[in-house]
Amino acid sequence: MNHYDTIVIGGGPAGMMATISSSFYGQTTLLLEKNRKLGKKLAGTGGGRCNVTNNGSLDDLLAGIPGNGRFLYSVFSQFDNQDIVRFFTENGVKLKVEDHGRVFPASDRSQTIIQALTDKIAELGGQVRCQVEVTSVKKIDGQFVIKSKDETWTADRLIVTTGGKSYPSTGSTGFGHDIARHFQHTITDLEAAESPLLTDFPHKALQGISLDDVTLHYGKHHITHDLLFTHFGLSGPAALRMSSFVKGGEILTLDSVPHYSKEELTEILEKNREKSLKNVLKAYLPERLAEFFAQDLPEKVKQLSPKEIDVVLEKVKELPIPITGKMSLAKSFVTKGGVSLKEINPKTLESKLVPGLHFAGEVLDINAHTGGFNITAALCTGWVAGSLHYD
Ligand SMILES: Cc1cc2nc3c(=O)[nH]c(=O)nc-3n(C[C@H](O)[C@H](O)[C@H](O)COP(=O)(O)OP(=O)(O)OC[C@H]3O[C@@H](n4cnc5c(N)ncnc54)[C@H](O)[C@@H]3O)c2cc1C
């Protein structure tokens, strides 16, 4: 059969969930994915463990989606993070909640999530074709005509879930934006979001160190989260979140022990005068960072002059890190910008310009923090785009 009620283009979280809900609503549904398997980008999230959602409140969700999260009020009233948790639990996937509300499969394997979504599509009678790259989409006589190199399909309803333009090696090359433009939709400016930061800081010495719950400061922005020193600079949620506020040329300061004031740290040093500085710092910091802070200073705490104590406190509480730039859109975790939300019905995610055309996931002008918020937006918009709305 080459005609379907609904065709979904793009088998990431948004497309898989759209296929599930469209099939659930009784529509004959075909999902087309150009990769060999579904969910290639999803598989890489959460360090390969799949950070499938975040278990925060609605306010937490909106705060985690700085790029147009408010557009999702109506979507979340239909399907939200608790529905995601319920969906997986009811379909046999045990989940666990980690720090910052991040939800993972208890198996610590992305494949568990992807398999559950794939099985549900099959159970509901949805069809999936992988290794099929859609090359053109048109609307002729009220029907969508979808073509790959060798095949043509028609559908009454089309759901575009092709993702943004980040990590194009996972398949998200911006084809959905071309479809949207073809139908006269506006694409807002595309920019890198959740980008690792570049720095000339002596990061070779620090490369590989990961810090839990430290604070990055820049002007009025204070971000407390985990941070990772890499071979190019800074990554981890604190750096990715800070990337919204810097371009390159700024100096961030790092507070490695935000839960202790300078006064408290001075007292700690006083109480441990007989110990080596490195050993005292090691109780609060990873060993290599403690060594880095203690280098070029006298070995024992009692040998430090008052000025040297100030130097230690400054290094620990206000380490300056000059930012030279950020990673490109292709190497950033998320794409900011996409199909303009002004032209999309927030209740149904249907185009206001072309009846039957829907968009869901990162192809829309919605961007969120890592930590499960993008995936939540993708799964929830996917569900709503696939649903039939009767009023
Ligand atoms: C390394 C990394 C880590 C991340 N970590 C997190 C995290 O911890 N938490 C979080 O919330 N978000 C995270 N994200 C972001 C999150 O993965 C994405 O926002 C999410 O996958 C978007 O889902 P989507 O379904 O809209 O698009 P995608 O997952 O990008 O899926 C789009 C699919 O469409 C297919 N496609 C595109 N064009 C065509 C075509 N012409 N024909 C057929 N198929 C096509 C692609 O092959 C792809 O499979 C991370 C991203 C990366 C890169």
Side-chain angles (χ1 to χ4, degrees), residues 93 131 146 186 197 203 216 269 336 378 390:
V93 177
Q131 291 182 293
I146 295 123
T186 311
L197 301 177
H203 45 74
L216 279 179
L269 289 172
K336 181 176 176 188
Y390 296 104

Side-chain angles (χ1 to χ4, degrees), residues 10 13-14 33-35 45 51 134 167 171 175 361-362 371-375:
E33 165 56 53
K34 68 180 170 185
N35 289 329
T45 66
N51 180 192
V134 174
Y167 277 68
F175 180 68
E362 210 180 307
F373 297 104
N374 291 288
I375 297 164

Side-chain angles (χ1 to χ4, degrees), residues 51 96 103 117 159 180 191 274 283 308 323 346 356 382:
N51 180 192
K96 60 176 173 176
V103 179
L117 291 164
I159 306 178
E191 284 175 44
E274 297 302 324
E308 284 169 331
I323 300 302

Side-chain angles (χ1 to χ4, degrees), residues 324-377:
T324 53
K326 34 185 195 174
M327 285 288 191
S328 63
L329 174 56
K331 288 183 179 165
S332 294
F333 285 47
V334 177
T335 302
K336 181 176 176 188
V339 177
S340 171
L341 301 176
K342 290 189 188 131
E343 299 158 358
I344 301 294
N345 179 337
K347 200 173 154 207
T348 59
L349 302 179
E350 186 174 17
S351 159
K352 290 180 184 171
L353 312 182
V354 182
L357 175 65
H358 294 68
F359 294 91
E362 210 180 307
V363 70
L364 288 166
D365 179 12
I366 293 171
N367 61 282
H369 293 316
T370 56
F373 297 104
N374 291 288
I375 297 164
T376 301

Side-chain angles (χ1 to χ4, degrees), residues 29 50 55 57 60 64 98 102 119 130 135 149-150 163 167 173 184 187 192-193 222 254 257 316 320-321 342 358 366:
T29 306
C50 194
N55 84 336
S57 63
D60 295 332
E98 295 196 356
R102 296 179 308 152
D119 288 349
C130 288
T135 49
K149 195 157 66 70
D150 312 307
Y167 277 68
T173 50
Q184 311 302 321
I187 305 300
H222 314 284
L254 168 64
V257 283
V316 173
I321 304 183
K342 290 189 188 131
H358 294 68
I366 293 171

Side-chain angles (χ1 to χ4, degrees), residues 39 119 163 185 243:
D119 288 349
H185 273 279
S243 70

